[in-house]
Short mmCIF file of all heavy atoms in Angstrom, two decimals:
data_model
loop_
_atom_site.label_atom_id
_atom_site.label_comp_id
_atom_site.label_asym_id
_atom_site.label_seq_id
_atom_site.Cartn_x
_atom_site.Cartn_y
_atom_site.Cartn_z
N ASN A 1 -2.19 -1.69 -11.45
CA ASN A 1 -2.24 -0.22 -11.44
C ASN A 1 -2.11 0.26 -9.99
O ASN A 1 -3.10 0.44 -9.29
CB ASN A 1 -3.54 0.29 -12.06
CG ASN A 1 -3.51 1.78 -12.28
OD1 ASN A 1 -2.89 2.54 -11.53
ND2 ASN A 1 -4.18 2.23 -13.33
N TYR A 2 -0.87 0.47 -9.57
CA TYR A 2 -0.63 0.85 -8.17
C TYR A 2 -1.04 2.29 -7.88
O TYR A 2 -1.29 2.63 -6.72
CB TYR A 2 0.82 0.57 -7.79
CG TYR A 2 1.05 -0.91 -7.59
CD1 TYR A 2 1.46 -1.72 -8.65
CD2 TYR A 2 0.77 -1.51 -6.37
CE1 TYR A 2 1.62 -3.09 -8.48
CE2 TYR A 2 0.93 -2.87 -6.20
CZ TYR A 2 1.35 -3.65 -7.25
OH TYR A 2 1.48 -5.01 -7.08
N ASP A 3 -1.14 3.12 -8.90
CA ASP A 3 -1.67 4.47 -8.68
C ASP A 3 -3.09 4.38 -8.12
O ASP A 3 -3.44 5.09 -7.17
CB ASP A 3 -1.67 5.28 -9.98
CG ASP A 3 -0.29 5.77 -10.38
OD1 ASP A 3 0.63 5.71 -9.53
OD2 ASP A 3 -0.13 6.21 -11.53
N LYS A 4 -3.89 3.52 -8.72
CA LYS A 4 -5.28 3.37 -8.28
C LYS A 4 -5.36 2.69 -6.91
O LYS A 4 -6.23 3.01 -6.10
CB LYS A 4 -6.09 2.60 -9.32
CG LYS A 4 -6.31 3.39 -10.60
CD LYS A 4 -7.24 2.66 -11.56
CE LYS A 4 -7.51 3.51 -12.80
NZ LYS A 4 -8.42 2.82 -13.76
N ILE A 5 -4.44 1.76 -6.65
CA ILE A 5 -4.43 1.09 -5.35
C ILE A 5 -4.10 2.08 -4.24
O ILE A 5 -4.78 2.14 -3.21
CB ILE A 5 -3.42 -0.09 -5.37
CG1 ILE A 5 -3.93 -1.19 -6.30
CG2 ILE A 5 -3.21 -0.64 -3.96
CD1 ILE A 5 -2.92 -2.28 -6.60
N PHE A 6 -3.06 2.88 -4.45
CA PHE A 6 -2.68 3.87 -3.43
C PHE A 6 -3.74 4.97 -3.30
O PHE A 6 -3.96 5.50 -2.21
CB PHE A 6 -1.31 4.45 -3.72
CG PHE A 6 -0.17 3.56 -3.33
CD1 PHE A 6 0.61 2.92 -4.28
CD2 PHE A 6 0.12 3.33 -1.98
CE1 PHE A 6 1.67 2.08 -3.91
CE2 PHE A 6 1.16 2.48 -1.60
CZ PHE A 6 1.93 1.86 -2.56
N ALA A 7 -4.42 5.29 -4.42
CA ALA A 7 -5.50 6.28 -4.35
C ALA A 7 -6.65 5.75 -3.50
O ALA A 7 -7.25 6.50 -2.70
CB ALA A 7 -5.98 6.63 -5.76
N ALA A 8 -6.97 4.46 -3.66
CA ALA A 8 -8.03 3.85 -2.85
C ALA A 8 -7.66 3.89 -1.37
O ALA A 8 -8.50 4.18 -0.50
CB ALA A 8 -8.28 2.42 -3.31
N ILE A 9 -6.40 3.61 -1.08
CA ILE A 9 -5.92 3.65 0.31
C ILE A 9 -6.01 5.07 0.87
O ILE A 9 -6.48 5.27 2.00
CB ILE A 9 -4.47 3.12 0.38
CG1 ILE A 9 -4.45 1.61 0.14
CG2 ILE A 9 -3.82 3.46 1.72
CD1 ILE A 9 -3.07 1.03 -0.05
N ASP A 10 -5.57 6.04 0.09
CA ASP A 10 -5.61 7.43 0.56
C ASP A 10 -7.03 7.90 0.83
O ASP A 10 -7.27 8.69 1.76
CB ASP A 10 -4.94 8.35 -0.47
CG ASP A 10 -3.42 8.21 -0.49
OD1 ASP A 10 -2.87 7.67 0.50
OD2 ASP A 10 -2.79 8.63 -1.47
N SER A 11 -7.97 7.39 0.03
CA SER A 11 -9.37 7.81 0.21
C SER A 11 -9.96 7.31 1.52
O SER A 11 -10.96 7.85 2.00
CB SER A 11 -10.22 7.31 -0.96
OG SER A 11 -10.45 5.91 -0.89
N LYS A 12 -9.33 6.28 2.11
CA LYS A 12 -9.82 5.72 3.38
C LYS A 12 -8.78 5.83 4.50
O LYS A 12 -8.84 5.12 5.50
CB LYS A 12 -10.20 4.24 3.18
CG LYS A 12 -11.37 4.02 2.22
CD LYS A 12 -12.65 4.62 2.75
CE LYS A 12 -13.83 4.36 1.82
NZ LYS A 12 -14.29 2.97 1.88
N LYS A 13 -7.83 6.74 4.30
CA LYS A 13 -6.73 6.88 5.26
C LYS A 13 -7.24 7.21 6.66
O LYS A 13 -6.63 6.81 7.67
CB LYS A 13 -5.76 7.95 4.77
CG LYS A 13 -4.43 7.97 5.48
CD LYS A 13 -3.46 8.93 4.81
CE LYS A 13 -2.11 8.94 5.51
NZ LYS A 13 -1.15 9.86 4.83
N HIS A 14 -8.35 7.91 6.75
CA HIS A 14 -8.90 8.32 8.05
C HIS A 14 -9.36 7.13 8.88
O HIS A 14 -9.52 7.25 10.11
CB HIS A 14 -10.06 9.29 7.85
CG HIS A 14 -11.21 8.69 7.07
ND1 HIS A 14 -11.19 8.55 5.71
CD2 HIS A 14 -12.41 8.20 7.50
CE1 HIS A 14 -12.33 7.99 5.31
NE2 HIS A 14 -13.08 7.77 6.37
N LEU A 15 -9.54 5.98 8.23
CA LEU A 15 -10.00 4.79 8.96
C LEU A 15 -8.84 4.01 9.61
O LEU A 15 -9.07 3.17 10.47
CB LEU A 15 -10.75 3.84 8.02
CG LEU A 15 -12.06 4.34 7.42
CD1 LEU A 15 -12.62 3.30 6.44
CD2 LEU A 15 -13.07 4.64 8.51
N PHE A 16 -7.62 4.31 9.19
CA PHE A 16 -6.48 3.49 9.62
C PHE A 16 -6.02 3.84 11.03
O PHE A 16 -5.74 5.00 11.34
CB PHE A 16 -5.31 3.69 8.64
CG PHE A 16 -4.12 2.81 8.94
CD1 PHE A 16 -4.14 1.46 8.65
CD2 PHE A 16 -2.98 3.35 9.53
CE1 PHE A 16 -3.05 0.65 8.93
CE2 PHE A 16 -1.88 2.55 9.80
CZ PHE A 16 -1.92 1.19 9.51
N THR A 17 -5.93 2.80 11.86
CA THR A 17 -5.41 2.95 13.21
C THR A 17 -4.25 1.97 13.40
O THR A 17 -4.46 0.75 13.42
CB THR A 17 -6.49 2.66 14.27
OG1 THR A 17 -7.60 3.53 14.06
CG2 THR A 17 -5.94 2.87 15.67
N PRO A 18 -3.02 2.46 13.51
CA PRO A 18 -1.87 1.55 13.65
C PRO A 18 -1.87 0.81 14.97
O PRO A 18 -2.30 1.35 16.00
CB PRO A 18 -0.67 2.50 13.55
CG PRO A 18 -1.19 3.83 13.97
CD PRO A 18 -2.62 3.88 13.52
N LYS A 19 -1.39 -0.44 14.92
CA LYS A 19 -1.33 -1.28 16.12
C LYS A 19 0.06 -1.30 16.74
O LYS A 19 0.23 -1.78 17.86
CB LYS A 19 -1.73 -2.72 15.77
CG LYS A 19 -3.20 -2.91 15.43
CD LYS A 19 -3.47 -4.31 14.89
CE LYS A 19 -3.07 -5.40 15.86
NZ LYS A 19 -3.40 -6.76 15.33
N ASN A 20 1.07 -0.85 15.99
CA ASN A 20 2.45 -0.93 16.47
C ASN A 20 3.29 0.13 15.78
O ASN A 20 2.80 0.89 14.93
CB ASN A 20 3.01 -2.34 16.23
CG ASN A 20 2.84 -2.79 14.78
OD1 ASN A 20 3.00 -2.00 13.85
ND2 ASN A 20 2.49 -4.05 14.58
N ASP A 21 4.57 0.17 16.10
CA ASP A 21 5.44 1.22 15.58
C ASP A 21 5.65 1.13 14.07
O ASP A 21 5.72 2.16 13.39
CB ASP A 21 6.80 1.18 16.29
CG ASP A 21 6.72 1.66 17.73
OD1 ASP A 21 5.71 2.34 18.07
OD2 ASP A 21 7.64 1.36 18.52
N ILE A 22 5.76 -0.08 13.54
CA ILE A 22 6.01 -0.19 12.10
C ILE A 22 4.77 0.23 11.30
O ILE A 22 4.88 0.92 10.28
CB ILE A 22 6.48 -1.62 11.71
CG1 ILE A 22 6.97 -1.63 10.25
CG2 ILE A 22 5.42 -2.67 11.94
CD1 ILE A 22 7.70 -2.91 9.86
N GLN A 23 3.59 -0.11 11.79
CA GLN A 23 2.38 0.36 11.13
C GLN A 23 2.26 1.88 11.26
O GLN A 23 1.82 2.57 10.33
CB GLN A 23 1.15 -0.31 11.74
CG GLN A 23 1.03 -1.80 11.41
CD GLN A 23 -0.24 -2.42 11.97
OE1 GLN A 23 -1.18 -1.73 12.35
NE2 GLN A 23 -0.29 -3.75 12.01
N LYS A 24 2.68 2.41 12.40
CA LYS A 24 2.65 3.86 12.62
C LYS A 24 3.57 4.58 11.63
O LYS A 24 3.26 5.68 11.16
CB LYS A 24 3.06 4.17 14.06
CG LYS A 24 2.81 5.61 14.50
CD LYS A 24 3.24 5.83 15.95
CE LYS A 24 2.45 4.93 16.91
NZ LYS A 24 2.85 5.16 18.33
N ALA A 25 4.71 3.96 11.32
CA ALA A 25 5.65 4.58 10.38
C ALA A 25 5.03 4.74 8.99
O ALA A 25 5.30 5.72 8.30
CB ALA A 25 6.93 3.75 10.29
N TYR A 26 4.19 3.78 8.61
CA TYR A 26 3.52 3.87 7.30
C TYR A 26 2.32 4.81 7.37
O TYR A 26 2.04 5.54 6.41
CB TYR A 26 3.10 2.48 6.82
CG TYR A 26 4.27 1.68 6.27
CD1 TYR A 26 5.05 0.90 7.11
CD2 TYR A 26 4.60 1.74 4.93
CE1 TYR A 26 6.13 0.18 6.62
CE2 TYR A 26 5.68 1.03 4.42
CZ TYR A 26 6.44 0.26 5.28
OH TYR A 26 7.52 -0.43 4.79
N GLY A 27 1.58 4.77 8.45
CA GLY A 27 0.47 5.69 8.65
C GLY A 27 -0.73 5.46 7.75
O GLY A 27 -1.58 6.34 7.59
N ARG A 28 -0.80 4.30 7.15
CA ARG A 28 -1.90 3.95 6.24
C ARG A 28 -1.87 2.44 6.01
O ARG A 28 -0.96 1.74 6.48
CB ARG A 28 -1.74 4.67 4.89
CG ARG A 28 -0.39 4.41 4.26
CD ARG A 28 -0.32 4.76 2.79
NE ARG A 28 1.04 4.68 2.27
CZ ARG A 28 1.70 3.56 1.98
NH1 ARG A 28 1.11 2.38 2.19
NH2 ARG A 28 2.93 3.59 1.52
N VAL A 29 -2.87 1.96 5.28
CA VAL A 29 -2.87 0.55 4.88
C VAL A 29 -1.63 0.27 4.03
O VAL A 29 -1.25 1.07 3.17
CB VAL A 29 -4.16 0.22 4.09
CG1 VAL A 29 -4.09 -1.19 3.51
CG2 VAL A 29 -5.39 0.37 4.98
N ILE A 30 -0.99 -0.86 4.28
CA ILE A 30 0.27 -1.22 3.63
C ILE A 30 -0.01 -2.09 2.40
O ILE A 30 -0.91 -2.93 2.42
CB ILE A 30 1.19 -1.94 4.63
CG1 ILE A 30 1.61 -0.95 5.73
CG2 ILE A 30 2.42 -2.53 3.95
CD1 ILE A 30 2.15 -1.60 6.98
N VAL A 31 0.77 -1.90 1.35
CA VAL A 31 0.59 -2.66 0.11
C VAL A 31 1.70 -3.71 -0.02
O VAL A 31 2.89 -3.37 -0.07
CB VAL A 31 0.61 -1.74 -1.13
CG1 VAL A 31 0.42 -2.56 -2.41
CG2 VAL A 31 -0.49 -0.68 -1.01
N LEU A 32 1.28 -4.95 -0.05
CA LEU A 32 2.18 -6.10 -0.23
C LEU A 32 1.84 -6.74 -1.57
O LEU A 32 0.77 -7.35 -1.72
CB LEU A 32 1.99 -7.10 0.92
CG LEU A 32 2.55 -8.51 0.72
CD1 LEU A 32 4.05 -8.50 0.46
CD2 LEU A 32 2.23 -9.38 1.95
N ALA A 33 2.71 -6.62 -2.55
CA ALA A 33 2.44 -7.14 -3.88
C ALA A 33 2.78 -8.62 -3.97
O ALA A 33 3.88 -9.04 -3.61
CB ALA A 33 3.25 -6.38 -4.92
N ASP A 34 1.81 -9.41 -4.46
CA ASP A 34 2.10 -10.78 -4.84
C ASP A 34 2.60 -10.72 -6.28
O ASP A 34 1.82 -10.73 -7.24
CB ASP A 34 0.85 -11.66 -4.74
CG ASP A 34 1.13 -13.11 -5.13
OD1 ASP A 34 2.21 -13.38 -5.68
OD2 ASP A 34 0.24 -13.96 -4.91
N ALA A 35 3.91 -10.61 -6.41
CA ALA A 35 4.55 -10.53 -7.73
C ALA A 35 5.25 -11.85 -8.05
O ALA A 35 6.32 -11.86 -8.66
CB ALA A 35 5.55 -9.37 -7.76
N ALA A 36 4.63 -12.94 -7.64
CA ALA A 36 5.19 -14.27 -7.89
C ALA A 36 5.54 -14.45 -9.36
O ALA A 36 6.54 -15.10 -9.71
CB ALA A 36 4.20 -15.35 -7.45
N HIS A 37 4.73 -13.85 -10.25
CA HIS A 37 4.92 -13.99 -11.70
C HIS A 37 5.78 -12.89 -12.31
O HIS A 37 6.14 -12.99 -13.49
CB HIS A 37 3.56 -13.93 -12.41
CG HIS A 37 2.62 -15.01 -12.06
ND1 HIS A 37 1.30 -15.02 -12.47
CD2 HIS A 37 2.76 -16.14 -11.33
CE1 HIS A 37 0.68 -16.09 -12.01
NE2 HIS A 37 1.55 -16.78 -11.30
N ALA A 38 6.08 -11.84 -11.57
CA ALA A 38 6.47 -10.57 -12.21
C ALA A 38 7.91 -10.14 -12.01
O ALA A 38 8.23 -8.96 -12.18
CB ALA A 38 5.52 -9.47 -11.74
N PHE A 39 8.81 -11.03 -11.67
CA PHE A 39 10.20 -10.64 -11.50
C PHE A 39 10.76 -10.14 -12.84
O PHE A 39 10.75 -10.86 -13.84
CB PHE A 39 11.04 -11.81 -10.99
CG PHE A 39 12.44 -11.44 -10.59
CD1 PHE A 39 12.66 -10.64 -9.48
CD2 PHE A 39 13.53 -11.88 -11.31
CE1 PHE A 39 13.95 -10.29 -9.10
CE2 PHE A 39 14.82 -11.54 -10.94
CZ PHE A 39 15.02 -10.74 -9.83
N GLY A 40 11.22 -8.90 -12.85
CA GLY A 40 11.74 -8.30 -14.08
C GLY A 40 10.76 -7.41 -14.81
O GLY A 40 11.13 -6.78 -15.80
N ALA A 41 9.51 -7.36 -14.32
CA ALA A 41 8.52 -6.49 -14.96
C ALA A 41 8.79 -5.03 -14.60
O ALA A 41 9.43 -4.72 -13.58
CB ALA A 41 7.11 -6.89 -14.52
N GLN A 42 8.27 -4.12 -15.43
CA GLN A 42 8.43 -2.69 -15.21
C GLN A 42 7.08 -1.99 -15.36
O GLN A 42 6.22 -2.44 -16.11
CB GLN A 42 9.42 -2.09 -16.22
CG GLN A 42 10.81 -2.68 -16.14
CD GLN A 42 11.73 -2.10 -17.20
OE1 GLN A 42 11.71 -0.90 -17.48
NE2 GLN A 42 12.54 -2.96 -17.81
N TRP A 43 6.93 -0.88 -14.65
CA TRP A 43 5.69 -0.11 -14.68
C TRP A 43 6.00 1.36 -14.45
O TRP A 43 6.62 1.71 -13.45
CB TRP A 43 4.74 -0.64 -13.60
CG TRP A 43 3.36 -0.05 -13.58
CD1 TRP A 43 2.32 -0.35 -14.42
CD2 TRP A 43 2.87 0.93 -12.67
NE1 TRP A 43 1.21 0.38 -14.07
CE2 TRP A 43 1.51 1.19 -13.01
CE3 TRP A 43 3.43 1.64 -11.61
CZ2 TRP A 43 0.72 2.10 -12.31
CZ3 TRP A 43 2.65 2.55 -10.91
CH2 TRP A 43 1.31 2.77 -11.26
N HIS A 44 5.65 2.19 -15.41
CA HIS A 44 5.89 3.63 -15.31
C HIS A 44 7.36 3.94 -15.00
O HIS A 44 7.67 4.82 -14.19
CB HIS A 44 4.99 4.27 -14.26
CG HIS A 44 3.55 4.31 -14.66
ND1 HIS A 44 2.62 5.10 -14.04
CD2 HIS A 44 2.85 3.63 -15.62
CE1 HIS A 44 1.43 4.92 -14.60
NE2 HIS A 44 1.55 4.04 -15.56
#
């Protein structure tokens, strides 16, 4: 449920301090999905 994951991130966005330009571009905690099992899956 990535809606809930991004909501959790947004709720703590004030804590995020980027260390470099790529982190600054996102401006929040980044989500990296381990979808090792999920190639071809769909959601919403």
